[in-house]
Amino acid sequence: VFVFVKAFRISFLEGDKWRGQGKQSYVRHMPVEAERGNIMAEDGSLLATSLPFFEIRFDLNADALTDEIFEASVDTLALLLASKVVDDLTVGAMRDKLRAERQSGERYMLIKKNVSYTELDEISQFPIFNLGRYRGGFIVKRIPKREIPFGLLANRTVGYIRENAKPVGLEGYFDEQLAGKQGKRLMQKVRGNIWIPVNDLTEVEPETGADIVTTLDIDLQDIAQDALIRGLEFHDADYGTAIIMDVETGAVKALSNIEKTKKTKADGTVQIGWWETYNYGVGDAIEPGSTFKLAPMMAMMEDGLVDLYDQIPIEKGTMQFYEETMEDSYKNSYLLDSTTMKHAFEVSSNVGIARQIFDNYR
């Protein structure tokens, strides 16, 4: 009586609920990744782009793949797969594998990963495969791969998005815009807890991501990087950064960050290399130091406010600016009350240059 009541309850009173859950367990809408947008240099050169690669699978038990169709072409298919696609199987072994997988009910046999479009075009013409998804069981999964055509050039600035890693550079900052919008496709679960597409068409088409156009000039980027590496090698430095900007607009034309890498070879020798591992130009805050003194010197001279041989006060290398005290690095080497503008620049006097900026522009 208990079993009868339970069966009646499951079948009739809760039937719709359980049938819905059962259907959901083997047929489901799955997301389809959108193609990622490009990152481009000022002239349209591709700094990062998504190239189409494919994964090829074989549904050996597709509904319309009859024994007659399979046996008529399996020898030729095995020959083509063994000679052009799969490296580790002979023709006979490939034929035996195809038959064994069909016999076991395989619906999602892997043929090859990372297939280019040209290879896909050729493989799709093989016998059985040329019958398509339903009659030939030929399943193609598109897997776009992110490529950086210029390699090291602006590598860290372009950046990346990786699983279990913090987003970096333009790829990370503009991820939402570059990623586009996912689509939807109906998938069916088959043996081995594997999901395969029910049809070739997506029910909701993915929306391709937007392109990012930067102000980077790829030629200037190449020049900056080459000069930076030569400078690092000459000074035996650990890292360095070089930034080229348009002085009228502030547009960044080149941004290079190079760091020394060391790799110990099998014979114990250390191989020195260079790579962009961190964006020092953006990520670090460092006092501009003596190099910045050139900018106010040029401004004051262009405005006619100082001359190289003007006598200026340097307060013996110490001066109070509001609540802060500024000191010269070399104040003990020249305890002077004043010196020429030229000499203040030569010895990189913080007080001398700052005093002139303060007096002329405050």
Side-chain angles (χ1 to χ4, degrees):
V1 171
F2 173 79
V3 171
F4 175 78
V5 171
K6 191 69 174 175
F8 178 81
R9 181 182 179 84
I10 291 172
S11 300
F12 296 100
L13 300 182
E14 300 174 352
D16 291 342
K17 171 187 171 183
W18 296 119
R19 277 187 289 272
Q21 285 195 16
K23 185 176 182 181
Q24 183 67 14
S25 67
Y26 69 89
V27 177
R28 185 182 301 170
H29 281 102
M30 297 285 204
V32 178
E33 292 298 319
E35 190 163 313
R36 199 166 176 82
N38 301 312
I39 298 177
M40 295 181 284
E42 190 177 41
D43 64 355
S45 301
L46 292 172
L47 299 174
T49 188
S50 293
L51 297 180
F53 284 84
F54 305 88
E55 183 178 288
I56 297 174
R57 300 271 182 171
F58 188 12
D59 180 358
L60 286 126
N61 288 274
D63 294 338
L65 182 56
T66 62
D67 289 339
E68 289 76 18
I69 294 173
F70 180 77
E71 289 299 332
S73 301
V74 68
D75 289 340
T76 309
L77 178 60
L79 171 65
L80 291 170
L81 288 176
S83 59
K84 295 189 174 185
V85 181
V86 181
D87 298 326
D88 56 351
L89 290 177
T90 63
V91 176
M94 175 56 75
R95 181 179 58 244
D96 293 343
K97 181 178 175 66
L98 291 172
R99 283 184 170 143
E101 296 283 15
R102 179 172 169 82
Q103 187 69 29
S104 69
E106 179 60 56
R107 304 285 313 264
Y108 205 53
M109 175 184 169
L110 175 65
I111 300 298
K112 190 176 182 181
K113 293 182 177 181
N114 296 322
V115 176
S116 69
Y117 183 81
T118 307
E119 291 176 302
L120 173 65
D121 189 51
E122 181 182 10
I123 295 171
S124 66
Q125 302 305 314
F126 289 0
I128 300 181
F129 289 173
N130 60 8
L131 300 176
R133 166 74 180 88
Y134 299 108
R135 294 187 63 211
F138 188 58
I139 301 172
V140 178
K141 184 179 179 182
R142 183 187 176 98
I143 305 174
K145 270 189 162 184
R146 205 63 171 164
E147 294 290 328
I148 311 294
F150 289 101
L152 185 58
L153 286 183
N155 183 274
R156 192 72 182 183
T157 302
V158 172
Y160 54 79
I161 293 287
R162 291 177 189 160
E163 224 175 304
N164 301 320
K166 184 180 178 181
V168 168
L170 296 170
E171 290 273 23
Y173 190 82
F174 292 105
D175 180 42
E176 186 178 341
Q177 291 84 355
L178 287 163
K181 293 183 179 177
Q182 288 183 338
K184 263 197 319 189
R185 170 182 279 172
L186 194 63
M187 305 284 279
Q188 178 183 359
K189 186 163 75 172
V190 297
R191 187 172 64 91
N193 199 31
I194 293 170
W195 293 86
I196 66 173
V198 172
N199 52 52
D200 282 334
L201 302 175
T202 49
E203 302 205 354
V204 177
E205 286 290 337
E207 198 173 299
T208 302
D211 293 336
I212 302 293
V213 182
T214 72
T215 58
L216 293 174
D217 182 314
I218 206 66
D219 294 324
L220 289 179
Q221 182 72 37
D222 190 26
I223 292 167
Q225 179 179 296
D226 184 58
L228 181 58
I229 291 176
R230 280 189 282 112
L232 293 171
E233 288 174 337
F234 180 80
H235 293 285
D236 192 25
D238 291 328
Y239 70 89
T241 184
I243 305 172
I244 300 177
M245 298 174 71
D246 185 322
V247 294
E248 291 185 354
T249 65
V252 176
K253 312 305 287 185
L255 174 54
S256 184
N257 299 275
I258 303 296
E259 186 170 347
K260 182 187 292 182
T261 61
K262 296 180 180 179
K263 183 180 179 182
T264 304
K265 299 169 74 174
D267 59 5
T269 59
V270 177
Q271 183 178 14
I272 302 296
W274 303 99
W275 193 249
E276 281 206 330
T277 55
Y278 184 75
N279 198 331
Y280 294 98
V282 172
D284 273 5
I286 301 172
E287 292 180 6
S290 299
T291 57
F292 190 72
K293 293 186 177 74
L294 178 62
M297 278 286 289
M298 291 170 65
M300 288 187 290
M301 293 181 72
E302 283 187 356
D303 290 347
L305 299 173
V306 299
D307 184 78
L308 286 179
Y309 296 98
D310 286 347
Q311 201 74 15
I312 63 168
I314 57 171
E315 313 285 346
K316 294 184 178 178
T318 302
M319 185 179 175
Q320 190 78 15
F321 288 94
Y322 303 105
E323 71 277 7
E324 298 294 336
T325 301
M326 178 181 283
E327 295 185 343
D328 282 348
S329 300
Y330 306 104
K331 64 177 182 175
N332 293 326
S333 62
Y334 61 98
L335 295 175
L336 304 173
D337 290 318
S338 66
T339 188
T340 63
M341 194 73 198
K342 179 174 179 288
H343 185 250
F345 183 74
E346 287 171 350
V347 298
S348 193
S349 170
N350 297 328
V351 170
I353 305 299
R355 173 71 183 266
Q356 291 306 301
I357 298 170
F358 188 75
D359 290 346
N360 285 300
Y361 293 109
R362 76 175 184 275

